[in-house]
Structures are given as structure tokens and as C-alpha cells.
Amino acid sequence: MGPPGRWRRRGEIATILQMSGIRDDVMAIWLSWLSALTNYLFTLLGVWLVERVGRRRLTLGSLMGTCVSLVLLGVAFLLSAQHTPPVTFHPSDPALANSTCLQYKVCEQCMLDPGCGFCYQDNSSALFASSCVPASAASTEQAAWGSCSNSSRGREPTYWAYNYCPNPYSGLVLVGLLLYLAAFAPGMGPMPWTINSEIYPLWARGTGNACAAGVNWSFNVLVSLTFLHTAQHLTYYGVFFLYAGAAALGVVFVYAVVPETKGRRLEEVEALFEGRLCSCGATESDEGRQVEYIRVKGSNYHLSDNDASDVD
């Protein structure tokens, strides 16, 4: 599983791009295809590197890159929040007297309320006549009241932003998202499946892989279901910093307990887990050491360096 969940589906990537301030839905969809292409190409890179670099190093590098890219995404959304446009128009219609949307002073606060949206006008140099109003109960694509509602749309050039705030940092979010996919795809994408297929003993391999796959997809669903709710409570930048912290914990875990399995027989891999849990002190020579076996009188015999000269 990816530390902050795996944003591979184009709909999820398009949502994050729209959250960054990309107003055009069509542009967000096309940029999501660029993200999908990045994911595909770097997955092929991971297939090429797995036997050259090794599972452990590739996973550690992927997690570190994932952590850095998530921090970059958090910084991009933090900058967006700090430069969020203010609410300059406060409707006085009696029908909106009980709406919480009128309490918000800036767009960022308005966005974190799922019942509100940001209505504004743009003359290409500045925003004006911006307001936070309730979203329509029938569709969040329009406001329930005002110039961004269905009945008033078209009378003046207005824009309705339900899940984003206009800001100049959408390009930085796109860079962070592409870096995330470029770091995640070659390592944390295929490596958990590769390592899981090697570390279990034969008697537990089927059960172990089934449990790992179940946990993986359970957390994928959990992240997908809680992402917007978590962003609502922690802000958009807060949730990405939270995911970066989870990735950092993953780096510590992999460095401490995940051994290198490149070039090892299944018997050797199983023997790696007979000693201490922490493998962080393993030397490079230990990781590259090969164990040889010979057949002696119908049983397996470990060929050590001392008695190798005694074998014909």
C-alpha cells in the first residue's frame, strides 16, 4: 500500500488537481492523464531496477521520495491557504440568515465546509464580488442562491468553486503530484508484492499473501473514504503533512526490519528471520553473502567456508 494511499485512479487525481485551483474540469482530466502516464513509465523503471538495485534499497528510496513529494504538496497547499482570496460580498437575503456559509471571511474556510461554495468574478487581474454561499441541494455544481445559481447564471461572468480556491500555486501542486507518482511507482507500487512473495515460508505463503492483500486494500479504501473528511478537520495542507509523517515512519520501519532478499534462495530468505528483528546493522557483505547447499546421504548439508576444501 502507498503511505498516503494510492492516487492512481484518474478521478482521484483530477479531484486533487481541482483542489489545487485548476478551474477547468477538462484541463484537470487531461492533467490526470499526464499523471497516469508518469505512473506507468516509472512502474516500468521499477521492473528494470528491482534486480539491479535490490528490494530493500528500492523500497527505501521510494519511501523517501514519497515523503519529500508529500511535504511539497503540503507546502503548496499551505501557500494556497496563506494567499486565499477574501470574501468581499456578504449577502443580506433573509433566506440565508441561518446559513453557516456567511460566517466565513476567506475562501479557504469556505472550502472546508462541504455545504458551501465560493462564488466570484474574475477580470483576469483580480477577483471581486466574491461570496461564500450554500451549495445547491440538487447539485454541488451550482450555488443555491445568487449569481452562481442556476436561475442567475449567465447574467454576468461569474465562477463557482465548490472544491477549490483560486490561487497561483496549482502548478506547484501538479509538480508535487508528479513527483509523488514518480517516487511511488517504482518502489512502493510493486515492491510490497515482490517482498511478500519471498519472505513467507511455504506453509504460510498463501495465507500470508492473502492477509497482506486484504490489509493493503482495506487501507486503500480507508484513505479514500476519509481523505476529504480529514482535510476538512486538518485543512488540505495538514492532511498531506500527516501523510508525509506516515511515509517517514515507513522509512524507519523498512530500514529497521526489512532485509534484502535479492539473489537469495527461498531457504536463505526464511533463515533471515530466525535471528533478531532489527536488520539495520546488517553489513553490505552480509547482504550479498550466498549460502551454498550440497546433498549428502539424502539430507541437506550446509557448506561452510571451513569445510569447502573437504568436498570433492
Side-chain angles (χ1 to χ4, degrees):
M1 153 186 166
R6 303 191 305 184
W7 301 314
R8 298 189 187 189
R9 292 185 292 277
R10 292 191 298 274
E12 295 174 346
I13 294 175
T15 298
I16 295 174
L17 291 173
Q18 287 180 321
M19 286 167 49
S20 69
I22 296 177
R23 185 166 59 197
D24 190 351
D25 292 347
V26 176
M27 176 64 70
I29 293 295
W30 279 109
L31 288 177
S32 70
W33 276 101
L34 176 61
S35 303
L37 178 62
T38 302
N39 184 41
Y40 170 73
L41 294 177
F42 279 87
T43 299
L44 295 181
L45 177 64
V47 173
W48 183 75
L49 288 175
V50 61
E51 292 298 338
R52 292 168 174 80
V53 176
R55 285 82 159 135
R56 176 182 165 88
R57 289 180 178 176
L58 193 56
T59 304
L60 281 172
S62 176
L63 275 170
M64 292 177 184
T66 297
C67 186
V68 171
S69 60
L70 287 170
V71 170
L72 179 60
L73 282 169
V75 170
F77 279 103
L78 177 60
L79 292 173
S80 299
Q82 291 176 341
H83 296 82
T84 185
V87 174
T88 59
F89 175 67
H90 298 275
S92 58
D93 193 291
L96 302 177
N98 296 326
S99 175
T100 59
C101 302
L102 302 183
Q103 304 173 4
Y104 303 125
K105 306 299 182 182
V106 295
C107 179
E108 179 74 11
Q109 297 173 347
C110 183
M111 285 299 100
L112 295 177
D113 190 330
C116 305
F118 190 69
C119 183
Y120 67 99
Q121 298 182 41
D122 188 354
N123 61 3
S124 72
S125 61
L127 304 182
F128 62 96
S130 57
S131 60
C132 183
V133 294
S136 172
S139 172
T140 57
E141 297 296 324
Q142 62 190 27
W145 179 93
S147 58
C148 289
S149 63
N150 189 43
S151 58
S152 301
R153 189 179 291 276
R155 298 180 183 177
E156 50 192 9
T158 58
Y159 299 97
W160 170 249
Y162 177 70
N163 59 355
Y164 73 92
C165 287
N167 68 84
Y169 297 101
S170 56
L172 186 59
V173 173
L174 177 61
V175 171
L177 184 58
L178 293 178
L179 287 177
Y180 173 85
L181 293 172
F184 179 89
M188 285 304 297
M191 285 307 99
W193 304 101
T194 303
I195 296 174
N196 266 284
S197 66
E198 297 174 339
I199 62 175
Y200 299 118
L202 290 175
W203 61 269
R205 184 153 300 165
T207 302
N209 278 288
C211 291
V215 170
N216 174 51
W217 289 110
S218 296
F219 274 89
N220 283 335
V221 172
L222 180 64
V223 170
S224 298
L225 291 178
T226 61
F227 175 73
L228 293 178
H229 297 286
T230 307
Q232 182 180 351
H233 291 88
L234 297 180
T235 70
Y236 291 149
Y237 59 87
V239 72
F240 283 106
F241 287 139
L242 174 65
Y243 291 159
L249 291 177
V251 172
V252 175
F253 175 81
V254 171
Y255 179 78
V257 303
V258 176
E260 179 58 73
T261 58
K262 182 188 74 169
R264 296 183 182 272
R265 299 185 182 93
L266 295 178
E267 296 86 351
E268 299 174 61
V269 173
E270 187 172 349
L272 291 174
F273 297 92
E274 294 178 354
R276 53 188 168 81
L277 178 63
C278 179
S279 62
C280 51
T283 63
E284 189 70 23
S285 59
D286 292 335
E287 291 186 355
R289 182 172 180 265
Q290 298 293 331
V291 180
E292 298 182 10
Y293 291 83
I294 61 172
R295 180 72 64 177
V296 178
K297 296 182 179 180
S299 61
N300 286 329
Y301 177 75
H302 178 220
L303 180 60
S304 64
D305 297 333
N306 293 330
D307 55 11
S309 59
D310 299 332
V311 180
D312 293 333

